[in-house]
Amino acid sequence: MAPRPGPDDRTWLYPACRLGQPFAPRDLVRRLRVLGVSPTLGRNTALMEMASEMP
């Protein structure tokens, strides 16, 4: 069995084309837009939801 990755491993949730490097935020935004997802709308909605929960 292969060892399970630990906290010291250099793995990324969204790996880039170059091994060991993360996605640049602009690349992730571009890919999400191609799929029809508006990251800005989702971010703003999340911020408004958090603000509504504040006392």
Side-chain angles (χ1 to χ4, degrees):
M1 253 166 68
R4 293 182 65 185
D8 294 332
D9 291 342
R10 303 213 183 249
T11 57
W12 299 96
L13 180 58
Y14 302 108
C17 294
R18 292 178 48 188
L19 186 60
Q21 296 293 314
F23 252 179
R26 70 178 182 279
D27 296 332
L28 185 56
V29 167
R30 189 176 304 132
R31 286 187 178 197
L32 287 172
R33 285 189 180 142
V34 167
L35 295 172
V37 176
S38 173
T40 305
L41 180 61
R43 178 183 179 274
N44 292 343
T45 302
L47 289 173
M48 292 299 291
E49 179 66 25
M50 287 187 335
S52 72
E53 295 176 2
M54 293 180 71

Short mmCIF file of all heavy atoms in Angstrom, two decimals:
data_model
loop_
_atom_site.label_atom_id
_atom_site.label_comp_id
_atom_site.label_asym_id
_atom_site.label_seq_id
_atom_site.Cartn_x
_atom_site.Cartn_y
_atom_site.Cartn_z
N MET A 1 0.83 -1.18 0.00
CA MET A 1 0.00 0.00 0.00
C MET A 1 0.88 1.25 0.00
O MET A 1 1.90 1.29 0.67
CB MET A 1 -0.89 0.03 1.24
CG MET A 1 -2.32 -0.29 0.89
SD MET A 1 -3.40 -0.67 2.27
CE MET A 1 -3.57 0.80 3.14
N ALA A 2 0.46 2.24 -0.74
CA ALA A 2 1.21 3.51 -0.80
C ALA A 2 0.96 4.30 0.48
O ALA A 2 -0.13 4.26 1.05
CB ALA A 2 0.77 4.31 -2.00
N PRO A 3 1.97 5.01 0.95
CA PRO A 3 1.77 5.82 2.15
C PRO A 3 0.78 6.95 1.88
O PRO A 3 0.70 7.48 0.78
CB PRO A 3 3.16 6.37 2.45
CG PRO A 3 3.91 6.26 1.18
CD PRO A 3 3.31 5.13 0.42
N ARG A 4 0.04 7.30 2.90
CA ARG A 4 -0.93 8.40 2.78
C ARG A 4 -0.19 9.72 2.84
O ARG A 4 0.79 9.86 3.58
CB ARG A 4 -1.94 8.32 3.91
CG ARG A 4 -2.82 7.10 3.80
CD ARG A 4 -3.83 7.06 4.87
NE ARG A 4 -4.74 8.19 4.68
CZ ARG A 4 -5.70 8.50 5.52
NH1 ARG A 4 -5.90 7.78 6.59
NH2 ARG A 4 -6.49 9.52 5.29
N PRO A 5 -0.64 10.71 2.08
CA PRO A 5 0.02 12.01 2.13
C PRO A 5 -0.17 12.64 3.50
O PRO A 5 -1.22 12.51 4.12
CB PRO A 5 -0.68 12.83 1.07
CG PRO A 5 -1.78 12.01 0.52
CD PRO A 5 -1.71 10.65 1.13
N GLY A 6 0.86 13.28 3.97
CA GLY A 6 0.81 13.94 5.26
C GLY A 6 0.90 15.44 5.12
O GLY A 6 1.00 15.97 4.02
N PRO A 7 0.89 16.17 6.24
CA PRO A 7 0.93 17.63 6.18
C PRO A 7 2.23 18.17 5.60
O PRO A 7 2.27 19.30 5.15
CB PRO A 7 0.75 18.05 7.63
CG PRO A 7 1.06 16.86 8.44
CD PRO A 7 0.81 15.66 7.58
N ASP A 8 3.29 17.38 5.59
CA ASP A 8 4.57 17.86 5.07
C ASP A 8 4.69 17.66 3.56
O ASP A 8 5.62 18.16 2.94
CB ASP A 8 5.73 17.14 5.76
CG ASP A 8 5.81 17.52 7.24
OD1 ASP A 8 5.38 18.63 7.58
OD2 ASP A 8 6.28 16.70 8.03
N ASP A 9 3.76 16.90 2.95
CA ASP A 9 3.83 16.69 1.51
C ASP A 9 3.47 17.98 0.78
O ASP A 9 2.65 18.76 1.23
CB ASP A 9 2.87 15.59 1.08
CG ASP A 9 3.30 14.23 1.57
OD1 ASP A 9 4.49 14.10 1.94
OD2 ASP A 9 2.48 13.31 1.59
N ARG A 10 4.06 18.16 -0.37
CA ARG A 10 3.80 19.37 -1.16
C ARG A 10 2.77 19.06 -2.25
O ARG A 10 3.09 19.00 -3.43
CB ARG A 10 5.09 19.88 -1.74
CG ARG A 10 6.12 20.15 -0.67
CD ARG A 10 6.98 21.30 -1.05
NE ARG A 10 7.99 21.46 -0.02
CZ ARG A 10 8.01 22.49 0.80
NH1 ARG A 10 7.13 23.43 0.71
NH2 ARG A 10 8.96 22.59 1.69
N THR A 11 1.54 18.85 -1.80
CA THR A 11 0.46 18.59 -2.74
C THR A 11 -0.49 19.77 -2.74
O THR A 11 -0.63 20.47 -1.75
CB THR A 11 -0.31 17.31 -2.36
OG1 THR A 11 -0.80 17.44 -1.03
CG2 THR A 11 0.57 16.08 -2.45
N TRP A 12 -1.14 19.98 -3.87
CA TRP A 12 -2.02 21.12 -4.04
C TRP A 12 -3.41 20.63 -4.42
O TRP A 12 -3.58 19.67 -5.15
CB TRP A 12 -1.50 22.05 -5.14
CG TRP A 12 -0.15 22.60 -4.83
CD1 TRP A 12 1.03 22.10 -5.26
CD2 TRP A 12 0.16 23.71 -4.00
NE1 TRP A 12 2.07 22.85 -4.76
CE2 TRP A 12 1.56 23.85 -3.98
CE3 TRP A 12 -0.61 24.61 -3.28
CZ2 TRP A 12 2.20 24.84 -3.28
CZ3 TRP A 12 0.05 25.60 -2.58
CH2 TRP A 12 1.42 25.71 -2.58
N LEU A 13 -4.42 21.34 -3.93
CA LEU A 13 -5.79 21.02 -4.29
C LEU A 13 -6.02 21.31 -5.77
O LEU A 13 -6.69 20.56 -6.47
CB LEU A 13 -6.76 21.84 -3.45
CG LEU A 13 -8.25 21.63 -3.69
CD1 LEU A 13 -8.63 20.18 -3.47
CD2 LEU A 13 -9.06 22.54 -2.78
N TYR A 14 -5.44 22.40 -6.27
CA TYR A 14 -5.55 22.79 -7.67
C TYR A 14 -4.15 22.90 -8.26
O TYR A 14 -3.57 23.98 -8.30
CB TYR A 14 -6.28 24.13 -7.82
CG TYR A 14 -7.66 24.11 -7.22
CD1 TYR A 14 -7.94 24.79 -6.05
CD2 TYR A 14 -8.68 23.41 -7.84
CE1 TYR A 14 -9.21 24.77 -5.50
CE2 TYR A 14 -9.95 23.38 -7.30
CZ TYR A 14 -10.20 24.06 -6.13
OH TYR A 14 -11.45 24.03 -5.60
N PRO A 15 -3.56 21.80 -8.69
CA PRO A 15 -2.20 21.86 -9.22
C PRO A 15 -2.13 22.57 -10.56
O PRO A 15 -3.07 22.51 -11.35
CB PRO A 15 -1.81 20.38 -9.37
CG PRO A 15 -3.10 19.68 -9.53
CD PRO A 15 -4.12 20.46 -8.75
N ALA A 16 -1.03 23.26 -10.79
CA ALA A 16 -0.82 23.95 -12.06
C ALA A 16 -0.15 22.99 -13.05
O ALA A 16 0.08 21.82 -12.75
CB ALA A 16 0.06 25.17 -11.84
N CYS A 17 0.15 23.50 -14.22
CA CYS A 17 0.82 22.68 -15.24
C CYS A 17 2.22 22.29 -14.80
O CYS A 17 2.70 21.22 -15.13
CB CYS A 17 0.87 23.42 -16.57
SG CYS A 17 -0.76 23.66 -17.28
N ARG A 18 2.88 23.19 -14.08
CA ARG A 18 4.23 22.90 -13.59
C ARG A 18 4.13 22.12 -12.28
O ARG A 18 3.47 22.55 -11.34
CB ARG A 18 5.00 24.19 -13.37
CG ARG A 18 5.31 24.89 -14.67
CD ARG A 18 6.03 26.19 -14.48
NE ARG A 18 7.13 26.06 -13.56
CZ ARG A 18 7.83 27.09 -13.11
NH1 ARG A 18 7.54 28.30 -13.50
NH2 ARG A 18 8.82 26.91 -12.28
N LEU A 19 4.77 20.98 -12.23
CA LEU A 19 4.72 20.11 -11.06
C LEU A 19 5.17 20.85 -9.81
O LEU A 19 6.18 21.55 -9.81
CB LEU A 19 5.62 18.89 -11.30
CG LEU A 19 5.57 17.81 -10.24
CD1 LEU A 19 4.16 17.24 -10.11
CD2 LEU A 19 6.54 16.71 -10.56
N GLY A 20 4.41 20.71 -8.74
CA GLY A 20 4.76 21.31 -7.46
C GLY A 20 4.35 22.76 -7.31
O GLY A 20 4.66 23.38 -6.31
N GLN A 21 3.63 23.29 -8.30
CA GLN A 21 3.21 24.69 -8.23
C GLN A 21 1.68 24.76 -8.15
O GLN A 21 0.99 23.98 -8.80
CB GLN A 21 3.67 25.45 -9.47
CG GLN A 21 5.17 25.53 -9.60
CD GLN A 21 5.78 26.38 -8.51
OE1 GLN A 21 5.29 27.45 -8.21
NE2 GLN A 21 6.82 25.87 -7.90
N PRO A 22 1.15 25.71 -7.39
CA PRO A 22 -0.31 25.86 -7.34
C PRO A 22 -0.81 26.64 -8.54
O PRO A 22 -0.04 27.27 -9.26
CB PRO A 22 -0.52 26.67 -6.06
CG PRO A 22 0.70 27.51 -5.97
CD PRO A 22 1.82 26.63 -6.49
N PHE A 23 -2.11 26.60 -8.75
CA PHE A 23 -2.75 27.42 -9.79
C PHE A 23 -2.57 28.88 -9.43
O PHE A 23 -2.65 29.25 -8.26
CB PHE A 23 -4.26 27.17 -9.76
CG PHE A 23 -4.80 26.40 -10.91
CD1 PHE A 23 -6.14 26.10 -10.96
CD2 PHE A 23 -4.02 25.97 -11.94
CE1 PHE A 23 -6.68 25.39 -11.99
CE2 PHE A 23 -4.54 25.26 -12.99
CZ PHE A 23 -5.89 24.97 -13.01
N ALA A 24 -2.39 29.71 -10.40
CA ALA A 24 -2.46 31.15 -10.17
C ALA A 24 -3.95 31.50 -10.05
O ALA A 24 -4.78 30.92 -10.75
CB ALA A 24 -1.83 31.90 -11.33
N PRO A 25 -4.32 32.41 -9.17
CA PRO A 25 -5.74 32.74 -9.00
C PRO A 25 -6.42 33.13 -10.31
O PRO A 25 -7.56 32.75 -10.56
CB PRO A 25 -5.72 33.91 -8.02
CG PRO A 25 -4.46 33.70 -7.23
CD PRO A 25 -3.47 33.12 -8.21
N ARG A 26 -5.72 33.86 -11.17
CA ARG A 26 -6.34 34.28 -12.44
C ARG A 26 -6.67 33.08 -13.32
O ARG A 26 -7.67 33.08 -14.03
CB ARG A 26 -5.45 35.27 -13.18
CG ARG A 26 -4.20 34.66 -13.74
CD ARG A 26 -3.34 35.65 -14.51
NE ARG A 26 -2.19 34.99 -15.04
CZ ARG A 26 -1.08 34.70 -14.38
NH1 ARG A 26 -0.97 35.08 -13.12
NH2 ARG A 26 -0.09 34.06 -14.95
N ASP A 27 -5.84 32.02 -13.26
CA ASP A 27 -6.11 30.82 -14.05
C ASP A 27 -7.34 30.09 -13.54
O ASP A 27 -8.15 29.58 -14.31
CB ASP A 27 -4.91 29.88 -14.05
CG ASP A 27 -3.69 30.49 -14.73
OD1 ASP A 27 -3.88 31.35 -15.62
OD2 ASP A 27 -2.56 30.12 -14.36
N LEU A 28 -7.49 30.03 -12.23
CA LEU A 28 -8.65 29.38 -11.64
C LEU A 28 -9.92 30.15 -11.98
O LEU A 28 -10.93 29.56 -12.35
CB LEU A 28 -8.49 29.25 -10.13
CG LEU A 28 -9.57 28.48 -9.39
CD1 LEU A 28 -9.74 27.08 -9.94
CD2 LEU A 28 -9.27 28.44 -7.91
N VAL A 29 -9.86 31.48 -11.90
CA VAL A 29 -11.02 32.31 -12.25
C VAL A 29 -11.39 32.10 -13.71
O VAL A 29 -12.57 31.97 -14.05
CB VAL A 29 -10.73 33.80 -11.95
CG1 VAL A 29 -11.77 34.70 -12.59
CG2 VAL A 29 -10.67 34.03 -10.46
N ARG A 30 -10.40 32.05 -14.57
CA ARG A 30 -10.65 31.85 -16.01
C ARG A 30 -11.35 30.51 -16.25
O ARG A 30 -12.32 30.43 -16.99
CB ARG A 30 -9.33 31.91 -16.77
CG ARG A 30 -9.49 31.95 -18.26
CD ARG A 30 -8.16 32.10 -18.98
NE ARG A 30 -7.44 33.27 -18.53
CZ ARG A 30 -6.15 33.30 -18.17
NH1 ARG A 30 -5.44 32.20 -18.24
NH2 ARG A 30 -5.58 34.40 -17.77
N ARG A 31 -10.88 29.46 -15.60
CA ARG A 31 -11.49 28.14 -15.78
C ARG A 31 -12.92 28.10 -15.23
O ARG A 31 -13.81 27.48 -15.82
CB ARG A 31 -10.66 27.06 -15.11
CG ARG A 31 -9.40 26.75 -15.88
CD ARG A 31 -8.69 25.57 -15.29
NE ARG A 31 -7.51 25.26 -16.06
CZ ARG A 31 -6.89 24.10 -15.98
NH1 ARG A 31 -7.33 23.16 -15.15
NH2 ARG A 31 -5.82 23.87 -16.71
N LEU A 32 -13.15 28.76 -14.10
CA LEU A 32 -14.50 28.80 -13.54
C LEU A 32 -15.46 29.54 -14.47
O LEU A 32 -16.59 29.13 -14.67
CB LEU A 32 -14.48 29.45 -12.16
CG LEU A 32 -13.87 28.62 -11.04
CD1 LEU A 32 -13.73 29.44 -9.78
CD2 LEU A 32 -14.70 27.38 -10.78
N ARG A 33 -14.99 30.64 -15.06
CA ARG A 33 -15.84 31.40 -15.99
C ARG A 33 -16.20 30.58 -17.22
O ARG A 33 -17.32 30.68 -17.72
CB ARG A 33 -15.15 32.70 -16.38
CG ARG A 33 -15.20 33.71 -15.26
CD ARG A 33 -14.72 35.07 -15.70
NE ARG A 33 -14.78 35.99 -14.57
CZ ARG A 33 -13.89 36.91 -14.32
NH1 ARG A 33 -12.87 37.08 -15.13
NH2 ARG A 33 -14.01 37.68 -13.27
N VAL A 34 -15.25 29.78 -17.71
CA VAL A 34 -15.53 28.91 -18.86
C VAL A 34 -16.66 27.93 -18.51
O VAL A 34 -17.49 27.61 -19.36
CB VAL A 34 -14.26 28.15 -19.30
CG1 VAL A 34 -14.57 27.02 -20.25
CG2 VAL A 34 -13.26 29.12 -19.93
N LEU A 35 -16.70 27.50 -17.26
CA LEU A 35 -17.74 26.57 -16.81
C LEU A 35 -19.05 27.27 -16.46
O LEU A 35 -20.03 26.62 -16.08
CB LEU A 35 -17.24 25.78 -15.59
CG LEU A 35 -16.06 24.86 -15.85
CD1 LEU A 35 -15.54 24.29 -14.54
CD2 LEU A 35 -16.45 23.75 -16.80
N GLY A 36 -19.07 28.61 -16.55
CA GLY A 36 -20.29 29.36 -16.26
C GLY A 36 -20.45 29.75 -14.80
O GLY A 36 -21.54 30.12 -14.38
N VAL A 37 -19.38 29.68 -14.04
CA VAL A 37 -19.41 30.03 -12.62
C VAL A 37 -18.83 31.42 -12.46
O VAL A 37 -17.75 31.72 -12.96
CB VAL A 37 -18.60 29.02 -11.78
CG1 VAL A 37 -18.56 29.43 -10.32
CG2 VAL A 37 -19.16 27.63 -11.93
N SER A 38 -19.56 32.29 -11.74
CA SER A 38 -19.06 33.64 -11.48
C SER A 38 -18.45 33.69 -10.09
O SER A 38 -19.16 33.77 -9.09
CB SER A 38 -20.21 34.65 -11.57
OG SER A 38 -19.76 35.92 -11.18
N PRO A 39 -17.11 33.64 -9.99
CA PRO A 39 -16.48 33.64 -8.68
C PRO A 39 -16.75 34.91 -7.89
O PRO A 39 -16.91 34.87 -6.68
CB PRO A 39 -14.99 33.51 -8.98
CG PRO A 39 -14.86 33.24 -10.42
CD PRO A 39 -16.15 33.53 -11.07
N THR A 40 -16.86 36.04 -8.57
CA THR A 40 -17.12 37.30 -7.88
C THR A 40 -18.51 37.29 -7.24
O THR A 40 -18.67 37.70 -6.09
CB THR A 40 -17.01 38.48 -8.85
OG1 THR A 40 -15.73 38.43 -9.48
CG2 THR A 40 -17.16 39.81 -8.14
N LEU A 41 -19.50 36.80 -7.97
CA LEU A 41 -20.85 36.72 -7.44
C LEU A 41 -20.88 35.81 -6.21
O LEU A 41 -21.49 36.15 -5.19
CB LEU A 41 -21.81 36.21 -8.50
CG LEU A 41 -23.28 36.08 -8.09
CD1 LEU A 41 -23.84 37.44 -7.69
CD2 LEU A 41 -24.08 35.50 -9.23
N GLY A 42 -20.22 34.66 -6.29
CA GLY A 42 -20.18 33.74 -5.15
C GLY A 42 -19.48 34.34 -3.95
O GLY A 42 -19.93 34.19 -2.81
N ARG A 43 -18.41 35.06 -4.19
CA ARG A 43 -17.67 35.70 -3.09
C ARG A 43 -18.53 36.77 -2.43
O ARG A 43 -18.61 36.85 -1.21
CB ARG A 43 -16.38 36.32 -3.62
CG ARG A 43 -15.58 37.05 -2.57
CD ARG A 43 -14.34 37.70 -3.20
NE ARG A 43 -13.56 38.41 -2.22
CZ ARG A 43 -13.79 39.67 -1.86
NH1 ARG A 43 -14.79 40.35 -2.38
NH2 ARG A 43 -13.04 40.25 -0.94
N ASN A 44 -19.16 37.60 -3.24
CA ASN A 44 -20.00 38.67 -2.69
C ASN A 44 -21.18 38.11 -1.91
O ASN A 44 -21.54 38.62 -0.85
CB ASN A 44 -20.49 39.60 -3.80
CG ASN A 44 -19.36 40.41 -4.40
OD1 ASN A 44 -18.29 40.53 -3.82
ND2 ASN A 44 -19.59 40.95 -5.58
N THR A 45 -21.78 37.03 -2.42
CA THR A 45 -22.88 36.39 -1.71
C THR A 45 -22.42 35.84 -0.37
O THR A 45 -23.11 36.01 0.65
CB THR A 45 -23.48 35.26 -2.58
OG1 THR A 45 -23.90 35.81 -3.82
CG2 THR A 45 -24.65 34.59 -1.88
N ALA A 46 -21.26 35.22 -0.35
CA ALA A 46 -20.72 34.67 0.91
C ALA A 46 -20.44 35.79 1.91
O ALA A 46 -20.74 35.66 3.11
CB ALA A 46 -19.46 33.88 0.64
N LEU A 47 -19.90 36.90 1.45
CA LEU A 47 -19.62 38.04 2.34
C LEU A 47 -20.91 38.62 2.91
O LEU A 47 -20.98 38.97 4.10
CB LEU A 47 -18.82 39.12 1.61
CG LEU A 47 -17.37 38.78 1.32
CD1 LEU A 47 -16.75 39.86 0.44
CD2 LEU A 47 -16.58 38.64 2.61
N MET A 48 -21.94 38.75 2.08
CA MET A 48 -23.22 39.28 2.56
C MET A 48 -23.86 38.32 3.57
O MET A 48 -24.43 38.77 4.58
CB MET A 48 -24.18 39.51 1.38
CG MET A 48 -23.74 40.63 0.47
SD MET A 48 -23.66 42.22 1.30
CE MET A 48 -25.38 42.53 1.59
N GLU A 49 -23.73 37.04 3.34
CA GLU A 49 -24.28 36.05 4.28
C GLU A 49 -23.56 36.13 5.63
O GLU A 49 -24.21 36.12 6.67
CB GLU A 49 -24.14 34.64 3.69
CG GLU A 49 -24.64 33.54 4.58
CD GLU A 49 -26.13 33.58 4.82
OE1 GLU A 49 -26.86 34.14 3.99
OE2 GLU A 49 -26.56 33.05 5.87
N MET A 50 -22.24 36.24 5.59
CA MET A 50 -21.48 36.36 6.84
C MET A 50 -21.85 37.65 7.57
O MET A 50 -21.99 37.67 8.79
CB MET A 50 -19.97 36.30 6.58
CG MET A 50 -19.50 34.93 6.22
SD MET A 50 -17.71 34.70 6.08
CE MET A 50 -17.02 36.26 5.72
N ALA A 51 -22.00 38.75 6.84
CA ALA A 51 -22.34 40.02 7.45
C ALA A 51 -23.73 39.97 8.09
O ALA A 51 -23.96 40.58 9.15
CB ALA A 51 -22.28 41.14 6.42
N SER A 52 -24.64 39.24 7.48
CA SER A 52 -26.00 39.15 8.04
C SER A 52 -26.04 38.35 9.35
O SER A 52 -26.96 38.50 10.13
CB SER A 52 -26.96 38.54 7.02
OG SER A 52 -26.71 37.16 6.87
N GLU A 53 -25.03 37.53 9.58
CA GLU A 53 -24.98 36.72 10.80
C GLU A 53 -24.32 37.43 11.96
O GLU A 53 -24.33 36.94 13.09
CB GLU A 53 -24.26 35.40 10.52
CG GLU A 53 -25.00 34.51 9.54
CD GLU A 53 -24.25 33.25 9.20
OE1 GLU A 53 -23.14 33.04 9.73
OE2 GLU A 53 -24.75 32.48 8.36
N MET A 54 -23.74 38.61 11.70
CA MET A 54 -23.08 39.35 12.77
C MET A 54 -24.12 40.00 13.67
O MET A 54 -25.18 40.42 13.21
CB MET A 54 -22.15 40.41 12.18
CG MET A 54 -20.97 39.82 11.44
SD MET A 54 -19.89 41.07 10.76
CE MET A 54 -19.15 41.70 12.25
N PRO A 55 -23.82 40.10 14.97
CA PRO A 55 -24.78 40.72 15.89
C PRO A 55 -24.92 42.21 15.67
O PRO A 55 -24.15 42.89 15.16
CB PRO A 55 -24.19 40.42 17.27
CG PRO A 55 -22.81 39.98 17.07
CD PRO A 55 -22.65 39.62 15.63
#
